[in-house]
Amino acid sequence: MPGPYYEDEEDAGLVAKDAAGDNAAALSVSEISAALKRVVEDRFGFVRIRGELSGVKRAASGHVYLSLKDENARIDGVMWRGNAQRLGFNPEDGVEVIVTGKLTTYPGRSNYQVVIDRMEIAGEGALLALLAKTKARLEAEGLFDPARKRRLPFLPRVIGVVTSPTGAVIRDILHRLADRFPVQVLVWPVLVQGQGAAEQVASAVRGFGTLEGGGEIPRPDLVIVARGGGSIEDLWCFNEEVVVRAVADCPIPVISAVGHETDTTLVDFAADLRAPTPTAAAEVAVPVREELAQQLAELGLRNRRAANRPLQLGRERLLARAERLPKPQALFSPHAQRLDQAAERLRRALVDRTHLARNAFQRVDSRLSLPLLSARLDRAQERLAGLARLHASLNPDAVLQRGYVRVTGADGATLTTRAAAANQDSLLLHFRDGDLVVRAGDAPPAAAASRSRPAPKAPPPEQGKLL
């Protein structure tokens, strides 16, 4: 490449020199960068740029760095944390947007960028494209899987409602619940549109899920996320990923009641049940108390009928069998007849027995006479008198009247030998006028000794024994 052209070759040199009359002083890189920055910022202090997002990154500081591109060009952009927090949607690659801000340069890399103050989706078509993209991504994660959906409680005691506290939605829900089945309602007030609405709705859903049972604030058995109708832009916070994930992760069954029947948001797919309107959500949440009472009364009636049915069937079967049984008179009449016949036979038998006994007595009586009886009685008295005399003659105590003594031992047996008496320790002597006990060693009375045989000169061998 040829070098610069100088008219006077003598002017060229190795060391830069300021020529006479030259007012173009050399600028430093910082100076020229600052000059360019002033020119760009003064010329493009306010710009609106339409392009497709690319390379979107959210730094830990909260700043968002991105690029805007079209078919032929590309420009870098930055959105500081304060403005990024006010975004109504989550910027993603491929979304066509319109940004508002100013152009500036970044001297550190010698390039220019747009500092974004505001970012909007470029038209409803781009918004729907973003919605479809977000839905496809969340659906691929399984957040909309029907198997995740839970059955709603039949009769919740406490219902949590996430909605605006001042709109007509909460009034419609409370009125409908009061008409059908009054229950306790906890309202978590949130914004349902605009900046920060998505974060508030997600925080409310998570807040209900973290309540403990039996605490000061009762834990809901059911949560309703509700909002009135509106455009897709008005309902956009219910398409935000943070809200969809909060609803999908809620441990309490959730009913989505966002918009009118024709409105659809991503929360509808993540909830356990979608209601076409907030009023319909209240109708689905609780049964009608009067209908429930009527059903209970009908079930009670059916229960009583079922309990009484066996008794009724048993009564009918008993009556049917009783009708087939013979009459009691027919059952007892043969036995009664046999009883009458037996009684008649017994009466005749007694009469016949009496006649036989009378005839036998008459035959015996004819053989009996008073003299014969007197003779038999006399013979019987003579035999009795003979037995009495024999008894008197054989009575051992009868001889006591004639001076005899009967000797008995301790056992009352009569002793007839001397040897038997000698073996006794005591003897009982029976006299005519009484008894006398004689023990071993007793001296016999003197009078009795004088009338007995003479005393022996020497004591007998059985000295010391009774005589």
Side-chain angles (χ1 to χ4, degrees), residues 29-30 32-34 36 76 104-113:
V29 175
S30 298
I32 192 64
S33 296
L36 290 173
D76 293 336
T104 185
T105 63
Y106 182 58
R109 291 188 300 178
S110 297
N111 61 358
Y112 62 91
Q113 62 184 8

Side-chain angles (χ1 to χ4, degrees), residues 109 137-138 194 196 212 249 291 331 350 404 445 449:
R109 291 188 300 178
R137 178 166 53 81
L138 298 179
E212 297 291 339
D249 296 337
E291 294 180 357
L331 291 175
L350 291 176
Y404 294 95

Side-chain angles (χ1 to χ4, degrees), residues 384-402:
L384 181 59
L387 290 175
R389 289 192 299 271
L390 179 60
H391 178 267
S393 64
L394 296 177
N395 186 1
D397 292 333
V399 297
L400 297 181
Q401 301 296 330
R402 299 197 299 271

